Amino acid sequence: DTDIFTERESEVRSYSRSWPTVFTSAKGSWLRTEDGRDYLDFFAGAGALNYGHNNPVLKRALLDYLDSDGITHGLDMHTAAKRRFLETFDALVLGPRHLDYKVQFPGPTGTNAVEAALKLARKVTGRESIVNFTNAFHGMTLGSLSVTGNSMKRAGAGIPLVHSTPMPFDNYFDGEMPDFHWFERVLDD
């Protein structure tokens, strides 16, 4: 029964329109509905959680952390968990590659990371305009919408989204022209 969703949930929702069912549980790559049907999850949390649902190793670590009363929303404060993460990241990723990079914790959503990347790119290059690709989705903040390829999502901003130039991607021309050749031609022009 999806009446309560129709009655009380915002019209902004989109995925639920394509999947008119209610999911109750998940394990690995499978989602289960209220009526007991299993669906292979190709969506994978929109690529954010593509390690699967309730991975036993991650689940155990999360439950142990919560059971120890670990800090679950520390914003940009220093925490013991953040220290362990940074030390591990430095030892396993940066150190072996001799990389002297800083780590930014942009927030709990992908759109925060996109916003930070847009600001960083503009700061480093001194330019305002960003090239974005068609068929891409980056989030619902104004900056992220400005580089999102979906016109319905972009229209939700309610204002003109400027300083971005869309370029074709993901078979945009239905095989009539390779997307990269069009992109290269525009850049060379």
Side-chain angles (χ1 to χ4, degrees):
D1 181 21
T2 57
D3 289 344
I4 192 68
F5 298 111
T6 302
E7 184 179 337
R8 294 290 174 217
E9 194 175 12
S10 164
E11 292 298 316
V12 174
R13 61 193 153 83
S14 61
Y15 300 117
S16 60
R17 296 176 199 276
S18 301
W19 301 318
T21 190
V22 177
F23 297 102
T24 58
S25 61
K27 184 82 172 168
S29 299
W30 294 93
L31 294 167
R32 178 160 284 176
T33 65
E34 286 181 318
D35 62 2
R37 292 186 64 188
D38 290 330
Y39 288 84
L40 182 59
D41 182 13
F42 287 104
F43 189 56
L49 304 170
N50 58 8
Y51 51 79
H53 297 275
N54 295 303
N55 177 293
V57 173
L58 299 176
K59 185 176 178 179
R60 180 77 267 146
L62 176 61
L63 291 172
D64 289 346
Y65 185 75
L66 291 174
D67 193 46
S68 74
D69 293 330
I71 297 170
T72 57
H73 50 88
L75 296 173
D76 65 349
M77 296 183 295
H78 293 150
T79 65
K82 188 187 286 186
R83 177 191 296 125
R84 282 191 304 276
F85 172 81
L86 287 169
E87 289 170 348
T88 302
F89 189 76
D90 187 51
L92 298 178
V93 176
L94 299 178
R97 291 165 183 83
H98 307 290
L99 299 173
D100 186 26
Y101 292 146
K102 298 283 186 179
V103 176
Q104 180 176 356
F105 295 91
T109 66
T111 197
N112 289 81
V114 171
E115 291 282 347
L118 292 171
K119 291 172 186 171
L120 181 62
R122 287 180 170 128
K123 181 178 180 176
V124 169
T125 65
R127 300 178 191 148
E128 292 180 358
S129 292
I130 300 284
V131 170
N132 64 292
F133 293 100
T134 58
N135 299 327
F137 176 76
H138 298 294
M140 298 299 286
T141 58
L142 286 178
S144 295
L145 282 172
S146 75
V147 293
T148 288
N150 181 306
S151 60
M152 182 192 83
K153 300 283 189 211
R154 290 173 59 86
I159 62 169
L161 299 171
V162 296
H163 303 298
S164 65
T165 303
M167 291 289 169
F169 181 74
D170 194 25
N171 203 25
Y172 188 75
F173 294 109
D174 296 325
E176 293 180 29
M177 175 188 295
D179 298 338
F180 189 77
H181 290 305
W182 194 90
F183 184 30
E184 186 176 47
R185 179 82 183 260
V186 170
L187 289 177
D188 287 343
D189 188 358

